[in-house]
Amino acid sequence: MAEIARRLRSESKDTDSVLRAISRAAVDAIPGAEFASITLVTKQAQVESPILIGDLARESDRLQAELREGPCIRAAIDSDTICIDDVSVPDPRWPRYSAEATKLGIGSILCFCLWVEGDNFGALNLISTKTDAFDDDSRSIGSLFAAHAAIAFSAVRETEQIRAALTNRDIIGQAKGMLMERYSLSADEAFRLLARLSQDTNTKLVDVALQVVEAGPGE
């Protein structure tokens, strides 16, 4: 786990890279895992799979998104760990998925909730072509791994949000300066003008500021 934690820190430069590092490390570290994916369930009830390790993971997530049911979605929403020893056994929670996943060649699945942010949920999903592929060690190591992975992901997201906030502040500052010079406004007057344009056009303040900056001083 110490080696995995170091790898996550070294490879995790942004959200995409940390999710990819998490998925690859999970396949290497968790007994029984052959394929992996990250499933996101957004507040708009959209199901996305930004990271897929292996074709079978891609097909499994595609199937769950189409059917809008399955263990990966449930693990994310319920903040729970779900282990299916034999996918071919019908499950009343996702009856259609069980039948179709068996046709794909999926034997067993192990899903961990990674994070919950408001109405957004994320799960780490491990897939095997064999039944009963995941034992107690798989679940124990996987739970510990998921905890480390969630911390790494949260740290990267926080860094990205800080960077975005600083960038937005700089853009708004540039736009204010240009309006102050162009129209002989004070800093407060320039900001109020941006805010009014944002409200009148139903556009984010930073997007209005970016339009001002891109228009240039002569516009």
Side-chain angles (χ1 to χ4, degrees):
M1 291 310 303
E3 176 58 33
I4 290 172
R6 284 192 292 270
R7 190 193 311 178
L8 290 178
R9 284 197 297 270
S10 64
E11 297 181 9
S12 304
K13 306 303 180 184
D14 52 40
T15 299
D16 184 76
S17 65
V18 72
L19 292 179
R20 189 169 299 280
I22 288 169
S23 301
R24 286 176 175 167
V27 173
D28 294 338
I30 300 174
E34 297 178 50
F35 310 92
S37 70
I38 300 288
T39 298
L40 306 182
V41 182
T42 69
K43 60 184 177 182
Q44 291 82 20
Q46 296 297 314
V47 180
E48 304 172 3
S49 302
I51 303 298
L52 298 159
I53 306 298
D55 291 338
L56 200 55
R58 177 180 295 103
E59 290 302 306
S60 176
D61 276 32
R62 176 193 60 77
L63 184 60
Q64 291 182 81
E66 290 179 359
L67 299 177
R68 305 191 71 79
E69 69 175 39
C72 305
I73 295 174
R74 185 53 52 193
I77 294 177
D78 287 352
S79 303
D80 199 5
T81 297
I82 294 177
C83 184
I84 305 178
D85 295 323
D86 188 347
V87 172
S88 67
V89 177
D91 191 310
R93 293 173 294 179
W94 41 78
R96 293 178 297 167
Y97 174 78
S98 296
E100 296 301 320
T102 301
K103 295 178 183 177
L104 292 176
I106 298 174
S108 48
I109 295 179
L110 181 59
C111 306
F112 299 94
C113 180
L114 277 184
W115 72 87
V116 178
E117 292 183 345
D119 294 326
N120 298 316
F121 309 89
L124 168 67
N125 317 301
L126 305 172
I127 296 175
S128 175
T129 56
K130 302 174 183 178
T131 58
D132 299 308
F134 303 108
D135 56 16
D136 290 341
D137 285 343
S138 302
R139 287 185 279 271
S140 296
I141 295 173
S143 295
L144 183 58
F145 179 89
H148 278 277
I151 292 171
F153 177 80
S154 296
V156 171
R157 285 292 295 270
E158 183 177 353
T159 300
E160 288 181 337
Q161 290 168 358
I162 292 173
R163 288 174 179 167
L166 292 175
T167 299
N168 292 347
R169 186 188 67 178
D170 290 344
I171 292 173
I172 293 172
Q174 291 179 47
K176 282 174 53 180
M178 295 173 69
L179 292 175
M180 290 168 64
E181 181 178 358
R182 188 182 307 168
Y183 300 113
S184 300
L185 301 175
S186 67
D188 287 343
E189 289 171 336
F191 183 81
R192 285 198 295 271
L193 176 57
L194 287 172
R196 187 169 70 249
L197 289 171
S198 172
Q199 183 176 9
D200 291 346
T201 61
N202 194 28
T203 306
K204 291 182 179 179
L205 180 62
V206 67
D207 292 336
V208 172
L210 185 59
Q211 292 173 14
V212 172
V213 171
E214 291 178 343
E219 299 295 331

